[in-house]
Amino acid sequence: MSTLTNGSTTANLSDDLQWVDEFAWNPVAQKTGRTITGAFWVDAQPVTAGRAVTLQGDDNTGWASRADVVALHALAATTGPLTLTLRGAAHSVVFDHEAGAAIEARAVVGYADVAAGDFYILTVRLRTL
C-alpha cells in the first residue's frame, strides 16, 4: 500500500494508481539566447525539485474508499511538506493546487446514501520538493 503522510496523519493510496506523468519532465532547466555579437549561449542547470507527481486511477484500477478520500482532503488542507511512499521509495511532496484540483474523486457507483466503504476513482496531483 502506498501512503501520503503529514506527521501523524496518513492517507492510504492504492498501489494500482498510475504515475501518469512520471517521464513527462525534464531533468535539466535550460535557457538559450543570442548575444549582441550573434553568438549563441546556453545556461543549463539540473532540476532539483518541482517534478509533477500525478497519481491517477481509472474505471478498473486505483480506486479509493470514501474514507481514504476524506483523509486525503484533510491532508490537502495543510500547507506543509508530506511524505509520499510510492513503490518502496519516499518522496517529499506538496499538493499541487496550481494544476487545478489537487484531489479529484468520482464515485464508481453513485449511491444516494454514501458510506465510508464506497469506492471512488481518484486523481491526486503533487509536486516534489
Side-chain angles (χ1 to χ4, degrees), residues 78-120:
T78 65
T79 58
L82 304 143
T83 300
L84 170 66
T85 304
L86 180 69
R87 301 180 190 151
H91 306 272
S92 183
V93 298
V94 292
F95 280 98
D96 189 356
H97 296 281
E98 280 188 329
I103 300 168
E104 290 181 23
R106 181 173 49 95
V108 173
V109 177
Y111 296 111
D113 187 19
V114 296
D118 292 349
F119 286 105
Y120 289 76

Side-chain angles (χ1 to χ4, degrees), residues 7-82:
S8 62
T9 305
T10 298
N12 294 318
L13 301 169
S14 170
D15 287 331
D16 291 331
L17 288 170
Q18 297 296 308
W19 184 353
V20 295
D21 49 8
E22 182 176 8
F23 298 108
W25 72 289
N26 292 317
V28 174
Q30 181 177 1
K31 185 76 174 170
T32 62
R34 297 249 176 226
T35 68
I36 196 163
T37 64
F40 183 71
W41 61 265
V42 177
D43 185 15
Q45 294 293 321
V47 173
T48 58
R51 181 179 182 182
V53 179
T54 304
L55 304 174
Q56 192 169 32
D58 60 31
D59 290 342
N60 301 308
T61 62
W63 296 356
S65 70
R66 181 177 178 81
D68 288 336
V69 172
V70 169
L72 281 169
H73 269 278
L75 283 176
T78 65
T79 58
L82 304 143

